[in-house]
Amino acid sequence: MSSYPVSSAIAEGNGYTIVENASLEGRNSFRVPARTHLLIDVKKPEALGEVLAYPLLNNAPVLVLGEGSNVLFTRDWPHVVLSMASQGIAVERDEIDACRVRVAAGENWNSFVHWSLARGFAGLENLVLIPGSVGAAPIQNIGAYGVEVCEFIESVAAWDRHGGKPVELDVADCRFGYRDSVFKQEPDRYIVTSVVFRLPRARELKIGYAGIAEELDALGFNKPTHAQLAEAISRVRTRKLPNPALIGNAGSFFKNPLVSTAQGEELRQRHPDLPCWPTADGQLKLSAAWLIESCGFKGLRRGSTGVSEHHALVLVNLGGATGAEIWSLAEEIRDTVHARYEVMLEPEPRIL
Ligand code: FAD
Ligand code: EPU
């Protein structure tokens, strides 16, 4: 990567700071080196209009970055990186059966899950331990263990870069799908500033996902509470997924592919143990991990990059890898799976 001079703060306004020539290595969970021309941390959403009109930006492309746990920098980003650093959890309406709460984009997702569990709210336990910020949660509609965040979102507040003003999108406007939303479909349009959740006080536990009931049994939780289910899910996740603080990764590198029922059934005839799940709109979702493992990639080491030995969907930085090296391995995996199964895997992280 390039050898820029050391970074320096060049402006500090009311609610934001701007740093020139900033390193992004500590701001992406793959821990790959990359630099940006201007790094802007915005603490107050009200400052966004002023920040985006700053002459220094000079209409340069602006990448919005949260905690960097779903991005891969294959090179420097020689433009502008903007990060929402706003904090705050505000209960807007407290009813008997549910509560409406507005959470600032810069809050940490897992901390918010624990905030909700500690106050007796139900539902977010399946989404415990997902890295990243609250502002990024709607972008790919984070999901795990049979639950998606859109089930709890009432609206999303954002700065609309097309209209140059703040907007509030209701859940239908967000067009949520599996790892999808309007924010992914129109990637450079919205800067999420806060998310409004409706948190129920009671909700049936979702323990149907493979391995969860067994983990609850192993813990001796016969009549689990929501917090106990969170504990069981945390244990399963910790066994399967490498901790990015110790080994660089971005969770699942590919989405589970959606295929037509006809294509899925044809594949299942040839490979009866290929896991697949029907979707609400009549497609079949295939296990990307199975496809990759069956091509022999699980546990592979290639220079400083590799595929986790615990989970075939997780590409890892074994120390000192560049984003370009990780992307090259990803392309090899994608092309091998395609040649063998005629299924094209799509990356889940944003590739830059
Ligand atoms: P970033 O990586 O910084 O950004 C992700 C995307 O969101 C980018 O396109 C970025 O431009 C955009 N973005 C970020 N903030 C904003 C904003 N305020 N406004 C507009 N756009 C924004 N994901 C799951 O769904 N389920 C899982 O189980 C899961 N497990 C994971 C496990 C590990 C170990 C890791 C490393 C990742 C995992 N992920 C999972 C992916 C990741 O945690 C989520 O995608 C998370 O929401 C990313 O948050 P972030 O703040 O790090 O976003
Ligand atoms: N499998 C393999 N080999 C492996 C791992 C898994 O063949 O190495 C097969 C097994 O049959 C297993 C099945 O794949 O039963 C599903 O595995 P897992 O339960 O780990 O889920 P996944 O489909 O691989 C998805 C999400 C994860 C999420 C888990 C739990 C995607 C792309 N990934 O993974 O999300 O945590 O389900 O719900 O949908 C992420 O998005 O970054 C992420 C980690």
Side-chain angles (χ1 to χ4, degrees):
M1 292 273 147
S2 52
S3 51
Y4 284 83
V6 280
S7 56
S8 53
I10 54 166
E12 188 146 0
N14 184 13
Y16 63 91
T17 52
I18 305 182
V19 171
E20 200 175 18
N21 287 331
S23 167
L24 301 172
E25 191 161 348
R27 292 199 184 221
N28 74 92
S29 64
F30 263 124
R31 308 274 164 225
V32 294
R35 297 192 81 92
T36 187
H37 175 47
L38 293 178
L39 174 62
I40 310 178
D41 283 303
V42 179
K43 288 205 184 77
K44 293 187 183 170
E46 314 84 78
L48 271 172
E50 180 181 327
V51 168
L52 293 168
Y54 211 77
L56 210 72
L57 267 63
N58 205 13
N59 290 324
V62 176
L63 167 69
V64 185
L65 192 63
E67 295 183 21
S69 54
N70 217 17
V71 292
L72 175 64
F73 288 101
T74 62
R75 57 182 179 86
D76 291 334
W77 178 259
H79 316 290
V80 178
V81 169
L82 184 148
S83 177
M84 290 306 300
S86 51
Q87 298 287 304
I89 302 179
V91 174
E92 292 193 334
R93 195 184 311 148
D94 205 351
E95 293 165 352
I96 293 169
D97 59 342
C99 146
R100 193 179 133 158
V101 53
R102 183 180 293 273
V103 188
E107 286 285 341
N108 173 265
W109 172 259
N110 190 46
S111 303
F112 170 55
V113 171
H114 285 287
W115 179 96
S116 80
L117 290 170
R119 281 156 189 79
F121 296 112
L124 298 187
E125 56 276 1
N126 295 55
L127 302 177
V128 70
L129 226 56
I130 297 181
S133 58
V134 167
I139 308 303
Q140 73 159 6
N141 180 22
I142 54 170
Y145 299 94
V147 170
E148 288 182 333
V149 73
C150 65
E151 295 169 48
F152 303 94
I153 291 180
E154 212 168 87
S155 62
V156 174
W159 179 269
D160 180 359
R161 285 148 79 187
H162 286 184
K165 58 175 187 195
V167 290
E168 187 104 11
L169 288 87
D170 67 24
V171 74
D173 298 330
C174 294
R175 304 206 292 263
F176 288 121
Y178 164 65
R179 298 293 188 270
D180 198 20
S181 71
V182 71
F183 310 106
K184 271 189 103 166
Q185 294 152 18
E186 298 185 47
D188 295 319
R189 178 160 183 188
Y190 297 105
I191 301 173
V192 173
T193 51
S194 65
V195 183
V196 176
F197 297 89
R198 188 172 195 278
L199 301 177
R201 289 193 198 280
R203 183 176 135 115
E204 204 181 321
L205 289 176
K206 292 246 176 153
I207 58 169
Y209 197 94
I212 298 306
E214 293 80 348
E215 191 67 28
L216 288 165
D217 273 354
L219 286 165
F221 298 153
N222 306 323
K223 287 188 182 164
T225 62
H226 295 273
Q228 287 173 331
L229 177 53
E231 188 181 334
I233 286 176
S234 299
R235 286 169 63 107
V236 171
R237 289 185 67 96
T238 306
R239 275 202 302 273
K240 281 188 188 175
L241 298 169
N243 178 351
L246 305 175
I247 181 160
N249 77 92
S252 300
F253 194 88
F254 296 101
K255 294 188 278 186
N256 284 326
L258 299 170
V259 298
S260 67
T261 311
Q263 188 185 359
E265 279 170 359
E266 201 259 321
L267 275 167
R268 288 268 289 177
Q269 269 176 10
R270 284 191 279 136
H271 312 283
D273 50 345
L274 162 59
C276 68
W277 306 271
T279 65
D281 60 355
Q283 292 179 293
L284 280 181
K285 190 195 276 181
L286 308 178
S287 163
W290 187 94
L291 295 170
I292 294 168
E293 182 172 349
S294 70
C295 290
F297 285 106
K298 190 169 178 176
L300 170 105
R301 281 172 165 249
R302 170 84 35 88
S304 309
T305 70
V307 177
S308 167
E309 57 201 4
H310 302 293
H311 204 300
L313 251 190
V314 183
L315 270 60
V316 289
N317 176 357
L318 296 164
T322 63
E325 288 165 344
I326 292 170
W327 178 239
S328 161
L329 176 60
E331 286 182 312
E332 183 184 336
I333 293 172
R334 182 198 61 194
D335 294 347
T336 307
V337 167
H338 184 248
R340 184 144 165 197
Y341 297 105
E342 285 182 34
V343 172
M344 189 56 96
L345 296 179
E346 282 177 31
E348 182 190 284
R350 182 160 180 186
I351 312 297
L352 298 153

